Amino acid sequence: MDEKTKSGIIHDILKSVKLNNGFYVWMAFLTVSLVFCLTAYYQQLTTGLGVTGLRDYISWGMYISNFVFFVASSLIGMLISSVLGLTGQKWVTPITRMAEIIAFAFAAVAGLVIVSDMGRPERLLNVFLYGRFQSPILWDVTVVTTYVMISLLLFIVPMVPDLAIAYNNRSDLPKWQRLLYKLLSLNWIGSEEQKALLHKAVRILLILVIPVALAIHTVTSWLFAVTPRAGWNSTIFGPYFVTGAFVTGVASVIIAMYVFRKIYHLQEYIKDIHFDKIGKLLVLVSLVYLYFNINEFLVPGYKMPKHEAVTLHSLFSGGHAIMFWFVQLAGLIIPIFLLLLKKFRKPTPLLIIGLFVFVGAWLKRYLIVIPTQEHPFLPIQNVPESYTFYQPTFTEICITLASFILVLIIVSVLAKVFPLIPIQETIDERNNKTESHEE
Amino acid sequence: MEDNKEPKENKRREFLKTLGIIGAAGASGAMALYFGQQYEKIKSGKKVRLLTVDNKVVEFENGELKEFKGTTEDFIARGREGIPGKSWVMVIDLAKCRNARKCIGACQNAHHLRPEQYHVNTLQMQDSEITSPYFMPKPCQHCDNPPCVSVCPVDATFKRTDGPVLIDNERCIGCRFCIAACPYSARIFNWFDPKDAEKFANDPYDIELNVPQKRGTVSKCLFSADRLRKNELPYCVSNCPNGVYYFGDKNEDAVTNGTTKETVRLSTLLKDNAAYRLMEELGQEPRVYYLPPKNRLFPFPEEENKKDNHV
């Protein structure tokens, strides 16, 4: 590859890193919305969790289902970078960093989401002071924090060469930004020794993140599966959650790919073929998830044991039926069929399908968490009407929105300040391609 | 019916006084002083003299003196230890329950609960369509294999050697995992400030009574561990007008009926009446036994049946 194309790539990818007015406006909007939503949290702190729609019987609601969703979404980093990267899928190169940003943002905010569900958040340290290893919450805290750290490393470490390139090529940037690049690039000069070290380090991280990622979502599923409740008392909850997580994660990456390609003008790097490939990936993970759904609902549905039957009826034909069938059809089955056709794997149709899958995935967590609690083993009696069902309040919705805003802020900042497409890897790959052509 | 609401309050105060004024030093070992049996107001009205345990007379400003009830730390240290040699069990005779709800009232009063907060709740049950409906008082089952204790991340809820499952609301983080895990729906949460929160805000926390209640923490039936400490029957048991409840020590194989005060052999009572435990198949090993609702002593109010039945 000649120097001209190389500098062209560098120029294209680094075009976005300078903070511009659009970015400031966007961040101002996000910050104002966040502050507004956080007043809701202040209200919850001063009044108590009673400001939510939660009560004694349905005591886990939107916060917990949102937590599950966030943990699920964060698994995408592992799928894209590790599973596909390690198996030599070259097409993932331009979206690996995006996936890591999404993984880090969702995992980091998931930790905060769970704090928002605590009746006594000021006692968070008790988990470390008096932690009991018998409780899945302790496992969850351990693996989620580990996963946040590894995801952050998987974002930063492979970026080291790019940061050196950014430092050398963008002398026009503000001082703090150049300093940041200089510090994080760790004196990278691209020597063979450095390359070997980096390769090794990234490889170790990529392998390490696989069991940790599986663990975070398996443990999250155990928050439900270790209880004796009908509807949660399932042996397949671990893989059911993990496969569902891949569906959610792929959908979020599709949305991110579309948006960043548009606003950063990355059509040269995120091409139609990438959408085509990730559309196929979505079909694959959705099929696996569908298989687990069939097992999870059809097997108890066939037998209809007394207590599970009540929950299943409410899902299949009762109060939750509209949401349930929307999730299964619009969020899973229809996307699978559409995406088998090539024309639906183009950017815009894929974005729309991705949005449906994303929303469906969020609602799916809601359906896993809430209906089971509405039908405990013993009847709900002698309590106010509001205790017998769950209806999220405005406060609760605001606090949940705050978590999404926080994710958007983290994603926006990381995707803005740092080069979003791996520069060095793109150059290397195009080099290899031309070389193999010449041979 | 010797223990209705007012004497109960007094008894508790008496107990605390006894603990504080006479026995606390010995009981906790942590207190070197206790404030004496006799104190004398000096004529000026500003100072009082007290006799300490080591027979010294000390002088205090009158205004600084308060009745000593024991500290939260003492209560927690003692409350986490069971009563040695005991193994508390409860037997509920469903044939006798007519939904008088006196057990609920006494319990809610003792534990500062709002009307919709139940440590014990009487449910209207009907197992299948043509079988007979019956009332079922449902306290915490104090399982020997308690799922709530297993899942608690901070050891706030714990199983005592003498049987009861208690909750330490000074440690509870309010994650409500225990509520999610309990198959008997026995646990409640303080979604708002508890009833009369300001009135009891400065009281020491009695872990065996779970009072004062705290916002953002879980509460539950405690088998009236505070009463067991005093060798008395639980609030619900002694307030039932219909002889529904038996309570006692499994090790002694004896349970006492809270209404008649008759003490019977536990094993015989269970055997003769075909006793069972709730949802035995879950393997949680409850400590509450039910005698089946056969030959019920009252007609079931038909129109009330099925109302509010949300299963």
Side-chain angles (χ1 to χ4, degrees), chain A residues 193-435:
Chain A
E193 198 190 351
Q194 283 183 333
K195 278 182 185 166
L197 267 175
L198 184 77
H199 182 72
K200 211 175 196 171
V202 172
R203 227 180 148 70
I204 289 172
L205 285 172
L206 285 177
I207 293 167
L208 210 60
V209 79
I210 295 175
V212 179
L214 287 176
I216 61 167
H217 216 38
T218 308
V219 170
T220 303
S221 81
W222 287 348
L223 295 182
F224 308 97
V226 297
T227 72
R229 281 183 188 261
W232 289 350
N233 186 3
S234 162
T235 54
I236 64 162
F237 253 36
Y240 177 48
F241 273 46
V242 169
T243 50
F246 292 149
V247 177
T248 319
V250 172
S252 20
V253 167
I254 288 173
I255 297 166
M257 278 167 71
Y258 187 90
V259 172
F260 285 121
R261 175 172 116 130
K262 198 107 191 162
I263 55 173
Y264 288 176
H265 308 291
L266 296 171
Q267 283 82 349
E268 271 297 300
Y269 301 88
I270 304 173
K271 297 177 182 165
D272 281 12
I273 176 142
H274 294 107
F275 283 91
D276 187 69
K277 292 266 190 195
I278 201 153
K280 285 178 181 164
L281 180 65
L282 187 54
V283 174
L284 175 69
V285 292
S286 297
L287 279 172
V288 179
Y289 189 45
L290 181 64
Y291 169 72
F292 276 99
N293 269 280
I294 291 169
N295 276 277
E296 180 59 21
F297 290 106
L298 205 65
V299 173
Y302 186 90
K303 294 176 284 189
M304 283 291 180
K306 184 178 170 188
H307 293 290
E308 252 149 274
V310 194
T311 309
L312 288 176
H313 278 305
S314 81
L315 290 173
F316 294 164
S317 55
H320 299 291
I322 293 174
M323 199 191 278
F324 178 79
W325 291 113
F326 173 81
V327 166
Q328 295 296 351
L329 294 172
L332 196 58
I333 295 170
I334 297 173
I336 291 175
F337 280 109
L338 291 183
L339 290 175
L340 290 176
L341 307 170
K342 198 175 173 71
K343 63 177 170 187
F344 285 102
R345 297 196 298 265
K346 296 266 179 265
T348 310
L350 190 60
L351 171 75
I352 294 164
I353 292 170
L355 285 169
F356 270 97
V357 173
F358 190 79
V359 172
W362 192 89
L363 295 173
K364 182 64 189 284
R365 273 64 192 177
Y366 188 91
L367 289 175
I368 290 173
V369 174
I370 285 109
T372 285
Q373 296 174 82
E374 287 176 344
H375 309 286
F377 288 115
L378 297 172
I380 303 175
Q381 288 175 1
N382 313 313
V383 286
E385 179 74 16
S386 62
Y387 277 51
T388 60
F389 60 89
Y390 172 67
Q391 178 87 53
T393 60
F394 181 68
T395 313
E396 213 172 345
I397 294 169
C398 281
I399 295 171
T400 302
L401 277 180
S403 62
F404 275 98
I405 295 170
L406 218 48
V407 167
L408 281 180
I409 290 179
I410 295 176
V411 171
S412 304
V413 169
L414 293 183
K416 183 74 196 167
V417 174
F418 297 104
L420 185 60
I421 308 276
I423 304 173
Q424 189 64 52
E425 280 175 68
T426 308
I427 293 171
D428 290 349
E429 251 166 49
R430 294 203 179 176
N431 267 339
N432 287 344
K433 221 179 258 174
T434 22
E435 271 165 32

Side-chain angles (χ1 to χ4, degrees), chain A residues 18-158:
Chain A
K18 189 164 183 159
L19 309 191
N20 53 8
N21 286 338
F23 179 75
Y24 287 127
V25 171
W26 172 237
M27 287 312 285
F29 168 72
L30 288 179
T31 313
V32 170
S33 322
L34 183 68
V35 169
F36 174 78
C37 289
L38 286 181
T39 57
Y41 187 59
Y42 177 75
Q43 194 200 348
Q44 180 178 306
L45 274 184
T46 47
T47 317
L49 272 172
V51 298
T52 64
L54 301 166
R55 287 299 177 263
D56 291 342
Y57 295 90
I58 302 106
S59 77
W60 278 355
M62 198 182 257
Y63 298 150
I64 295 288
S65 60
N66 195 43
F67 167 74
V68 176
F69 178 79
F70 273 39
V71 174
S73 302
S74 75
L75 251 63
I76 189 62
M78 172 274 238
L79 178 69
I80 299 277
S81 308
S82 298
V83 176
L84 297 179
L86 286 173
T87 48
Q89 297 286 327
K90 289 289 173 224
W91 65 271
V92 296
T93 305
I95 59 169
T96 48
R97 194 159 296 157
M98 218 180 279
E100 286 309 332
I101 290 175
I102 291 172
F104 169 73
F106 274 114
V109 180
L112 295 177
V113 171
I114 206 79
V115 173
S116 75
D117 186 67
M118 287 170 64
R120 286 266 162 183
E122 79 278 13
R123 292 183 183 171
L124 183 62
L125 275 184
N126 280 9
V127 177
F128 303 99
L129 293 173
Y130 306 108
R132 291 175 70 254
F133 276 105
Q134 297 93 323
S135 171
I137 286 191
L138 213 72
W139 315 338
D140 223 8
V141 170
T142 314
V143 287
V144 169
T145 42
T146 311
Y147 188 71
V148 170
M149 291 317 295
I150 298 185
S151 294
L152 188 62
L153 287 175
L154 265 176
F155 169 63
I156 292 174
V157 175

Side-chain angles (χ1 to χ4, degrees), chain B residues 232-256:
Chain B
E232 288 170 17
L233 292 171
Y235 298 103
C236 51
V237 174
S238 53
N239 278 278
C240 173
N242 299 316
V244 174
Y245 292 94
Y246 295 83
F247 194 88
D249 182 358
K250 198 171 151 198
N251 292 341
E252 288 176 3
D253 196 21
V255 285
T256 305

